[in-house]
Amino acid sequence: MKNLKAIIFLKLLFVVILFASSCKKDVQVKPSITGVSEETTILNIGDKLTLAPNITNTKGNNYIWLVNGKETASGQLNYTFQATEAGTFDVTFKVTNKGGTDQQSFKLIVEKPIVITLADQLNVSMCNVLEITPAVTGPDRKDYEYEWSIGDSIIGKKLNLSFISPEAGTFELTLRATAGKQSVTYKRKIAVKAEQYLKNAYTVLEYAPSPGKNHNWSIIGSAANWKYGDEYPLAYNDFLTKATGIRKVNANAALFLGSWGGSATFKFDHTVANVSGKTDLELTAFCSLRDQPAVYVAYDYNKNGMPDENEWYELKNDDYGQEDIPEYEMIFTYNKTETDARRIYSYFNWKDNQPNLANGEVITNKTFTSSMTTAGAFSNRGFFPGLNVADNATKQAVILDGWKTSFSRKGKRVSRNLTGAAPFFQSLNLDIDLAVNKKGEAIQLPGIDFVKVQKVIYPFQQDLNTANAIADYNMEEGRMLQVGSILDKHLKN
């Protein structure tokens, strides 16, 4: 009997153990999701993204996908998100089994598409600037890049384009806007109307010569032709008008700017286009290869017809940054003119602004008979600017209206030994792309309307009369600057 009871007990114990073991096998482990990045994924409309998280326990799982809280798929481990509209999206993957639930979210941003709009009609006259300002909408980003082009030529890399063409015709403009992974191209035709202009900057806005030995302020033409009709001793404003009229029909009619600091300002009758990769201006000047003038240009931003002080930029050349005195100044003062029976004597003084003051006096001494032009007038060669003998009988010299008896010339000074550097009339090719501001920073100009030319090289030279000692040659006629034509190289008419 005892054995029977023992057997029954053992059998019951076996059943209990078996039941407990069976219950233990039925306990499920809570699922765990991995492989979901915390970073936000950026998409564009039209993109597709397959989301494939990792699951540590896949037995008995139920899967649900939700987009911004709304169920979009179930029963699948992976999910393909299609970007059909712009916005911010939380894509949640939820896994559930008898052991519990886990969920993770993918953060997605679908960016707005780039959209470009522009006026339907674009029209402008040749050699005029048209400000083109497209409207661009799209994603809120800081990495927008723009590129304007005509055919293979890139003409701008900013959103707004200052368009100018030296040629008439119809052109197709292309604007490419890029942000993130998006790149959109927009095309628009622009009609450029034909106009008639002159190539030369013939209008003389300002004439500020610096005197010296045998300098001739009244020349409009060639200094060598003082005797044959190229002198025009006029009041200041009348001289500007006369010079403008002559240069309009004769581009080569030069002005005699003189010694250091002498300058003149000219105006085109149109805007000279800044054509990328090409030189834009051709300047004719009498100087050596080692004392070429400084050239400043201005674009008439406010369209007031005059160059404003903040519109001037220098064109870099080989002498840029070589100045030994950045702010040099020379003051010239007329003294007197005297005559005797045969000769005339005219005096002026000069001094500079340096701590060790330099100064001097220049005397013009010439006979009446040797100074007459073929028209019977007394030449102004060697006279202080504006000084003229109008009456041969009285031989009285006067300063004409508008000219000053004392003035200063200011600018940078580049001191240089020019021994052996012979001056001659030469053509200088100038590129508007080389324009820089006072800090030396490059400035992108659409074109230019005004040109200022100034002598900035202060010449020294070996003097044969003093055993080849280096002497100051600033007041010597052979080192003075003359400026002739200033041509638009792109204009074809």
Side-chain angles (χ1 to χ4, degrees):
M1 188 68 178
K2 287 182 178 180
N3 290 336
L4 179 61
K5 289 182 178 180
I7 292 171
I8 293 173
F9 175 77
L10 290 174
K11 288 182 177 180
L12 289 172
L13 180 62
F14 175 76
V15 171
V16 169
I17 293 172
L18 183 64
F19 179 78
S21 175
S22 175
C23 289
K24 187 175 182 181
K25 288 182 181 180
D26 288 341
V27 174
Q28 285 190 307
V29 178
K30 174 184 176 181
S32 177
I33 303 172
T34 61
V36 178
S37 174
E38 295 182 357
E39 296 182 356
T40 300
T41 301
I42 306 297
L43 301 174
N44 296 316
I45 290 178
D47 287 350
K48 293 182 179 181
L49 177 65
T50 298
L51 305 175
N54 298 319
I55 308 297
T56 57
N57 180 24
T58 60
K59 185 176 181 181
N61 291 345
N62 292 318
Y63 304 120
I64 298 176
W65 290 89
L66 303 99
V67 177
N68 290 347
K70 182 179 180 180
E71 183 177 333
T72 56
S74 62
Q76 58 191 59
L77 185 60
N78 297 338
Y79 176 72
T80 299
F81 177 85
Q82 297 187 10
T84 58
E85 61 179 330
T88 300
F89 301 90
D90 284 332
V91 180
T92 303
F93 178 51
K94 188 175 182 179
V95 184
T96 303
N97 65 18
K98 292 181 179 180
T101 300
D102 192 14
Q103 68 180 38
Q104 294 287 339
S105 292
F106 297 85
K107 297 185 181 300
L108 310 179
I109 292 179
V110 179
E111 292 189 321
K112 295 178 181 179
I114 298 175
V115 177
I116 303 173
T117 56
L118 192 60
D120 291 337
Q121 298 294 325
L122 295 177
N123 302 281
V124 67
S125 292
M126 60 183 286
C127 297
N128 279 262
V129 174
L130 177 65
E131 298 296 343
I132 302 175
T133 55
V136 175
T137 59
D140 184 14
R141 302 181 63 96
K142 296 182 179 180
D143 60 348
Y144 277 86
E145 294 182 355
Y146 305 98
E147 182 181 276
W148 290 91
S149 61
I150 296 178
D152 295 331
S153 299
I154 298 173
I155 60 174
K157 290 195 173 184
K158 295 182 179 180
L159 172 59
N160 297 333
L161 176 68
S162 298
F163 176 84
I164 182 172
S165 173
E167 299 180 17
T170 300
F171 306 92
E172 186 174 68
L173 287 172
T174 300
L175 170 60
R176 181 182 299 277
T178 303
K181 296 185 295 182
Q182 292 191 62
S183 183
V184 175
T185 298
Y186 187 87
K187 296 180 182 295
R188 174 70 77 227
K189 292 187 181 299
I190 182 169
V192 180
K193 180 184 176 183
E195 301 287 354
Q196 290 294 320
Y197 303 113
L198 293 181
K199 289 186 176 183
N200 189 37
Y202 59 83
T203 300
V204 183
L205 295 179
E206 182 183 46
Y207 177 48
S210 291
K213 297 176 182 177
N214 290 325
H215 173 254
N216 196 333
W217 65 269
S218 65
I219 288 293
I220 308 174
S222 170
N225 289 339
W226 65 266
K227 193 172 185 176
Y228 305 105
D230 282 0
E231 285 190 354
Y232 296 89
L234 300 167
Y236 182 76
N237 288 334
D238 293 337
F239 183 87
L240 297 184
T241 301
K242 190 67 175 180
T244 296
I246 292 175
R247 288 173 57 82
K248 187 173 183 178
V249 296
N250 179 11
N252 295 317
L255 297 182
F256 203 172
L257 273 55
S259 58
W260 179 92
S263 69
T265 302
F266 306 89
K267 178 183 178 181
F268 284 93
D269 65 358
H270 62 282
T271 300
V272 179
N274 179 9
V275 178
S276 179
K278 296 182 179 181
T279 55
D280 309 292
L281 302 170
E282 181 182 280
L283 166 68
T284 302
F286 180 82
C287 56
S288 77
L289 294 174
R290 295 171 58 194
D291 68 334
Q292 295 176 356
V295 179
Y296 304 85
V297 295
Y299 169 61
D300 193 6
Y301 279 103
N302 59 11
K303 306 302 179 185
N304 66 350
M306 295 296 291
D308 297 314
E309 187 60 33
N310 63 350
E311 292 177 340
W312 283 113
Y313 301 100
E314 184 174 0
L315 297 185
K316 290 181 68 173
N317 62 10
D318 292 339
D319 295 324
Y320 182 81
Q322 301 298 312
E323 57 269 20
D324 49 303
I325 306 178
E327 297 181 0
Y328 190 58
E329 181 179 6
M330 292 188 72
I331 301 170
F332 301 92
T333 302
Y334 171 65
N335 189 353
K336 60 182 178 179
T337 298
E338 300 175 332
T339 62
D340 58 25
R342 298 181 57 252
R343 311 185 72 85
I344 188 166
Y345 308 86
S346 190
Y347 305 79
F348 73 85
N349 303 317
W350 66 270
K351 62 181 180 180
D352 67 14
N353 66 338
Q354 298 305 291
N356 296 323
L357 183 69
N359 59 81
E361 183 179 56
V362 175
I363 304 172
T364 294
N365 176 356
K366 57 184 181 178
T367 65
F368 294 111
T369 55
S370 65
S371 302
M372 302 302 291
T373 68
T374 54
F378 193 79
S379 173
N380 297 285
R381 188 166 180 253
F383 281 176
F384 195 78
L387 185 66
N388 178 53
V389 175
D391 189 339
N392 290 350
T394 63
K395 300 180 177 59
Q396 182 180 3
V398 296
I399 297 290
L400 299 175
D401 288 345
W403 299 91
K404 297 179 181 180
T405 57
S406 183
F407 54 80
S408 69
R409 300 291 181 244
K410 300 178 181 179
K412 63 180 181 178
R413 167 174 155 167
V414 182
S415 302
R416 181 166 295 161
N417 184 346
L418 298 181
T419 302
F424 61 100
F425 268 105
Q426 56 183 296
S427 295
L428 309 177
N429 291 305
L430 308 173
D431 190 348
I432 298 173
D433 270 336
L434 296 179
V436 294
N437 62 18
K438 293 180 179 179
K439 296 180 180 179
E441 300 165 334
I443 299 296
Q444 184 64 37
L445 298 172
I448 61 100
D449 299 282
F450 312 100
V451 178
K452 179 180 179 179
V453 184
Q454 184 175 34
K455 182 174 177 61
V456 297
I457 304 296
Y458 194 99
F460 292 85
Q461 187 172 318
Q462 286 182 342
D463 190 345
L464 298 177
N465 297 321
T466 58
N468 288 333
I470 299 298
D472 184 334
Y473 260 63
N474 185 48
M475 293 294 171
E476 300 300 323
E477 182 182 12
R479 290 302 176 190
M480 295 183 187
L481 175 65
Q482 299 178 57
V483 173
S485 60
I486 306 173
L487 305 179
D488 178 350
K489 296 187 66 176
H490 306 308
L491 203 60
K492 293 183 169 33
N493 61 329

